[in-house]
Amino acid sequence: MKHIRNIAIIAHVDHGKTTLVDQMLRVTGSFRAGKDVGTRVMDSNPLERERGITIFSKNASVRWSASAGPNAGESYKINIVDTPGHADFGGEVERILRMVNGVLLLVDAFEGPMPQTRFVTRKALELGLQPVIILNKVDRPDSDPDRAHDQVLELLLELEANDAQLDAPFLYASAKAGWAAAEPPGPGGEHPSDLEALFEAVVRTVPAPAGDPAAPFQMLVSTLDYSPYLGRMAIGRVENGTLAVGDSVAVWPLDQDAPLARVRVPKLYGFEAMEKVETESGSAGEIIAIAGLEGAEIGSTICDPEQPTRMAGIAVEPPTLSVEMRPNTSPFSGRSGQFVTSRQIRERLEREVLSNVALRVEDTDQPDRFRVSGRGELHLGILMEQMRREGFEFSVSRPQVITRPGEGGRIEEPYEEMVADLPESMMGVVIRKVSERRGEMQHVEHAEGAMVRLHFLVPTRALFGYRSEFLTDTRGEGTMHRQFAHYGPWAGDLTVRTNGAMVCMAAGTATGYSLFGLQERGTLFIGPGTAVYDGMIVGENARENDLEVNVTKGKKQTNVRSSGADDAIVLETPREITLEGALEFIREDELVEITPDAIRLRKRALTTHERKKDRRASPGG
Ligand code: GDP
């Protein structure tokens, strides 16, 4: 056990995590013979790239022998765990960090630390984990390792790192070229030619896991995996004892007073290089996967049935936000999707629940509609993105916050931390609008170039529909990030005035001519040539009410065009509709249509007649 190191890697997308882990595997000869060494172990998928955070946690492990120094000749196994990078995965982050004793904080020496990794870094420091800092890409001529060094140090101070953590080793690396150094490159650019300094720093500063391999077996389930052949797999770090295939264990759920019946372990896996590898046994300190434990949940303790003791687990946090998911019923249904029926959607959701622990799927009173609840917009948004990339088509209702009873029976609702970066000159309007939505400003940071960063705490409910206003108010120069913070008192009625929609009342193809006529009445979401249907939302009205529009009108083809006005049509670039933007935008009587090749907004009612009826029926309409 003295020879095991468990570390988590924290990195912003593109800072070089994949490249570094690949190099660590390569130089330690961890790629198995015949394996394609070009495989990128921790490669991020397109979704992660778009968002700049890690979503799916992956594991790898390397074996390294010290060739010099006090431990020369000693051989170590270093398990590297990937960390999901967002507060929406809060509990998950913490569970994963509980498996390790240290973190590799990888930072691009040109970009410096990024806000998206702040949350995980804070969690790691709070749990007392020892960081090892790697400033990567120092080979780039535009990199500034000194500045990055200071920024990381500042971050550690801000996040209240303890003394040992502040003493973290800083390494200077080119993951791409495969080297790491304990000092910045010399004036002549000289540097070592290998990663020894990195391995050495990890082995020296990160403590070996504690625990007793001879004690009764104990493991906390940190992650679940699911395989069609083996069923549920419980993954965690063995806290105490040794488990062998064929041994009996008890599964003790987090919320029960006694363990469940004993189960015999049919198969065990360890992690070698980038794969799960079948193994005969696993001991204290090692990260293993146990097959065949159907009753195991995140937070369960797997223990010796003769001497069961439960470990303090972290419960899965309850969902904060829910949407209704249903088959796509728009006239464009089935144009690009492969899986479109409610049965297919249901099966997909049921499969997701097996490993996506914070997700809930429930039936509704309508047989083809499902209530899907998760930890926030990002959590739900990622599932939807994944599904559309797999070829699913469906539509989704406006998200609703999930309230809970608080102290004294008072209702509580979720609040979010919102961080907005914008030019100083636009601060006033943003602060006013967020306050109107019961947001409280926590603090202001002044950044370079007359930019400010504003931190707010706002009820989640109040932020629906706000993003588009924010973009308009900051003329596209502002960016905002939001994430779940905590539950707080119900903020009362939020009479937030939001703009109405421009609703298409005729099917066909949008023409530049008609869009030109509409652009002064609001913000368009589509450009000329877009196929539209009756009931589709093509823009945001500048006013509160909906505006029925016809975007398919055009001058007859036979018209002789004279030079002049018509040819000089200048269309503004339409506002891009992202999945999250769409979810925030829609009202009760609207849906987001999600297909592999498009995200569209629509009214539930697809004809002018029905929409009129709806408006008459709704109290405010
Ligand atoms: P990840 O998203 O954090 O896994 O980042 P990748 O490992 O995929 O790297 C992102 C990009 O940065 C790729 O184009 C790499 O080739 C490049 N990169 C990674 N490490 C270095 C480095 O040390 N120096 C330079 N110049 N480029 C690097």
Side-chain angles (χ1 to χ4, degrees):
M1 230 165 68
K2 271 190 1 237
H3 294 103
I4 297 177
R5 296 292 182 275
N6 294 322
I7 54 173
I9 186 160
I10 303 177
H12 185 265
V13 165
D14 264 356
H15 282 197
K17 176 177 68 184
T18 311
T19 311
L20 182 73
V21 174
D22 278 4
Q23 289 286 8
M24 291 171 79
L25 287 161
R26 187 170 292 124
V27 301
T28 52
S30 305
F31 281 112
R32 282 198 293 165
K35 266 273 161 202
D36 175 13
V37 283
T39 319
R40 291 162 54 86
V41 185
M42 292 199 172
D43 205 359
S44 22
N45 75 2
L47 208 53
E48 296 178 307
R49 283 192 180 278
E50 267 168 36
R51 292 164 199 263
I53 53 165
T54 302
I55 297 165
F56 311 102
S57 218
K58 304 143 212 114
N59 290 333
S61 93
V62 298
R63 290 181 185 273
W64 173 76
S65 299
S67 57
N71 305 328
E74 305 270 352
S75 174
Y76 296 87
K77 180 171 183 188
I78 303 174
N79 292 310
I80 308 164
V81 186
D82 208 353
T83 48
H86 194 274
D88 275 7
F89 312 125
E92 183 143 358
V93 171
E94 192 160 342
R95 275 191 296 275
I96 287 183
L97 291 177
R98 285 257 202 122
M99 288 200 283
V100 302
N101 305 93
V103 290
L104 279 185
L105 180 57
L106 178 71
V107 175
D108 185 323
F110 167 67
E111 285 201 317
M114 303 290 277
Q116 287 93 328
T117 50
R118 205 183 153 88
F119 174 78
V120 196
T121 310
R122 184 198 299 150
K123 273 274 181 227
L125 295 176
E126 276 170 11
L127 289 170
L129 299 177
Q130 183 58 44
V132 171
I133 321 290
I134 308 171
L135 303 174
N136 190 33
K137 306 196 189 183
V138 296
D139 59 290
R140 275 179 58 168
D142 55 356
S143 77
D144 190 342
D146 290 340
R147 189 184 61 202
H149 175 281
D150 292 352
Q151 287 171 334
V152 172
L153 211 51
E154 229 168 81
L155 177 70
L156 295 180
L157 280 169
E158 237 176 85
L159 300 178
E160 296 174 13
N162 62 33
D163 288 347
Q165 290 168 333
L166 283 174
D167 271 343
F170 276 78
L171 296 153
Y172 299 81
S174 169
K176 199 164 156 183
W179 59 264
E183 303 289 334
E190 59 274 14
H191 58 75
S193 57
D194 54 32
L195 288 174
E196 291 298 294
L198 170 61
F199 290 118
E200 191 274 321
V202 167
V203 165
R204 178 169 43 86
T205 40
V206 176
D212 177 3
F217 182 77
Q218 234 191 352
M219 179 185 106
L220 184 70
V221 180
S222 297
T223 340
L224 289 177
D225 200 355
Y226 183 81
S227 128
Y229 310 105
L230 298 161
R232 185 173 283 214
M233 307 247 256
I235 302 175
R237 181 187 64 185
V238 180
E239 193 71 20
N240 278 306
T242 302
L243 184 68
V245 173
D247 284 355
S248 289
V249 291
V251 177
W252 196 335
L254 192 58
D255 55 0
Q256 282 184 32
D257 293 337
L260 302 173
R262 52 166 73 198
V263 197
R264 200 173 278 278
V265 172
K267 274 184 197 292
L268 269 185
Y269 295 81
F271 293 87
E272 285 293 340
M274 54 215 268
E275 296 180 327
K276 279 197 198 82
V277 183
E278 230 182 303
T279 172
E280 283 305 306
S281 70
S283 291
E286 287 172 34
I287 295 175
I288 59 169
I290 312 175
L293 307 183
E294 285 311 316
E297 301 280 351
I298 300 268
S300 302
T301 304
I302 313 296
C303 50
D304 184 336
E306 306 305 331
Q307 300 174 65
T309 22
R310 185 169 56 186
M311 295 173 59
I314 303 159
V316 173
E317 297 84 343
T320 58
L321 203 64
S322 70
V323 292
E324 230 178 63
M325 221 187 245
R326 60 173 83 178
N328 181 15
T329 52
S330 96
F332 292 173
S333 155
R335 282 204 180 176
S336 68
Q338 231 183 312
F339 310 109
V340 298
T341 66
S342 69
R343 190 177 51 83
Q344 287 165 326
I345 295 170
R346 173 195 290 273
E347 279 171 9
R348 176 64 183 83
L349 292 173
E350 282 171 353
R351 193 152 30 95
E352 184 69 23
V353 171
L354 294 173
S355 54
N356 192 342
V357 291
L359 194 80
R360 282 203 201 140
V361 176
E362 292 148 315
D363 284 322
T364 64
D365 49 9
Q366 308 271 348
D368 63 342
R369 296 183 192 174
F370 313 103
R371 177 148 298 282
V372 183
S373 310
R375 290 289 297 164
E377 217 169 66
L378 186 74
H379 186 210
L380 293 174
I382 284 165
L383 170 65
M384 294 175 203
E385 276 288 359
Q386 263 179 288
M387 286 175 66
R388 72 185 274 241
R389 281 162 207 234
E390 293 165 15
F392 280 86
E393 227 177 73
F394 48 94
S395 56
V396 169
S397 67
R398 174 187 174 94
Q400 307 226 297
V401 299
I402 300 173
T403 56
R404 67 172 197 194
E407 261 173 53
R410 276 192 291 269
I411 294 182
E412 293 187 340
E413 66 175 318
Y415 280 68
E416 298 194 13
E417 230 171 61
M418 170 183 147
V419 180
D421 288 306
L422 56 149
E424 218 171 309
S425 58
M426 299 165 179
M427 218 166 114
V429 55
V430 170
I431 294 175
R432 180 169 58 77
K433 293 264 179 96
V434 179
S435 320
E436 279 169 14
R437 291 169 182 261
R438 313 274 163 97
E440 257 175 50
M441 190 155 76
Q442 311 284 299
H443 64 278
V444 184
E445 288 168 56
H446 290 269
E448 273 166 49
M451 294 287 284
V452 282
R453 173 170 290 179
L454 309 176
H455 296 253
F456 295 97
L457 195 63
V458 201
T460 300
R461 196 163 46 104
L463 285 173
F464 294 150
Y466 177 62
R467 190 180 299 265
S468 68
E469 241 177 85
F470 174 82
L471 290 175
T472 311
D473 291 343
T474 59
R475 286 182 222 112
E477 287 180 62
T479 54
M480 60 179 265
H481 295 281
R482 31 181 295 208
Q483 55 193 26
F484 174 74
H486 50 70
Y487 268 86
W490 177 256
D493 263 355
L494 287 163
T495 37
V496 180
R497 196 193 128 135
T498 43
N499 296 346
M502 287 190 198
V503 184
C504 218
M505 56 185 195
T509 303
T511 62
Y513 171 79
S514 49
L515 293 176
F516 181 71
L518 288 170
Q519 64 183 6
E520 64 189 29
R521 310 200 52 179
T523 309
L524 290 166
F525 300 160
I526 62 164
T530 309
V532 296
Y533 55 82
D534 189 356
M536 179 167 151
I537 296 172
V538 295
E540 181 180 57
N541 189 9
R543 298 175 181 229
E544 207 175 336
N545 62 311
D546 283 354
L547 184 68
E548 299 263 332
V549 299
N550 184 350
V551 294
T552 63
K553 279 185 301 192
K555 293 219 155 168
K556 287 207 190 74
Q557 294 288 296
T558 49
N559 265 8
V560 181
R561 292 195 159 211
S562 56
S563 63
D566 276 359
D567 295 331
I569 277 183
V570 181
L571 282 172
E572 279 159 31
T573 319
R575 181 189 293 161
E576 193 196 348
I577 293 295
T578 61
L579 180 56
E580 267 138 27
L583 289 173
E584 284 178 16
F585 179 83
I586 58 167
R587 291 176 166 183
E588 277 309 321
D589 62 341
E590 296 165 353
L591 293 171
V592 184
E593 174 183 355
I594 301 170
T595 79
D597 69 356
I599 290 171
R600 299 187 194 94
L601 302 166
R602 56 168 277 200
K603 298 306 272 190
R604 287 183 193 228
L606 288 175
T607 62
T608 319
H609 174 68
E610 280 174 56
R611 287 195 289 277
K612 263 197 198 124
K613 243 177 27 196
D614 268 12
R615 270 200 296 276
R616 256 182 262 127
S618 79

